[in-house]
Amino acid sequence: MNGGQDNGETVTLEEALKRIEELEKENAELREELEYYRNRKLSGRQKHNAKWMAIYNDFVVGYESGMTIVEIAKRNNVSERTIYRYKAYYDKMKKKEE
């Protein structure tokens, strides 16, 4: 060590710089992890986002103009199951309006 004065508390500049480097590296890793948690979805699918609303609105237009479930599904490139979900939501909303 530095001139043999190691009483347990003396730290060389080299050691201090090395420790700072370690802490900065750890800090960077923690920032990355924090960023990951900030950006992830909260859970499962995001309900009623912009894409969902766009297809739902198209469903309403098509359904009210007499298109079949199959036609609406093909037009929006989604499964019939999805369109039946929209129909269930549509029926629920219609009921609320009454």
Side-chain angles (χ1 to χ4, degrees):
M1 293 274 151
N2 244 11
Q5 300 176 333
D6 191 14
N7 60 4
E9 291 178 24
T10 312
V11 177
T12 66
L13 181 60
E14 208 175 280
E15 289 171 329
L17 290 172
K18 190 176 177 200
R19 182 69 180 133
I20 288 170
E21 198 178 309
E22 287 169 3
L23 290 171
E24 284 175 343
K25 187 178 174 194
E26 184 182 343
N27 202 357
E29 287 169 3
L30 289 170
R31 280 181 208 274
E32 276 180 33
E33 193 177 345
L34 178 64
E35 196 61 28
Y36 165 78
Y37 284 110
R38 274 200 184 127
N39 291 334
R40 74 182 178 151
K41 286 186 176 176
L42 291 172
S43 67
R45 72 185 176 91
Q46 298 278 297
K47 226 177 170 190
H48 305 188
N49 60 14
K51 183 180 175 192
W52 191 96
M53 287 308 296
I55 297 173
Y56 175 75
N57 290 331
D58 186 77
F59 158 78
V60 172
V61 170
Y63 185 71
E64 288 181 346
S65 69
M67 287 177 76
T68 67
I69 298 292
V70 176
E71 289 169 333
I72 299 169
K74 278 188 179 149
R75 185 163 91 173
N76 287 289
N77 200 25
V78 294
S79 69
E80 289 174 41
R81 178 77 193 100
T82 299
I83 298 302
Y84 278 108
R85 280 196 199 102
Y86 289 147
K87 185 181 179 308
Y89 181 77
Y90 173 83
D91 291 342
K92 190 169 88 177
M93 288 303 157
K94 281 287 178 211
K95 219 174 204 172
K96 267 188 185 173
E97 285 176 16
E98 290 169 5

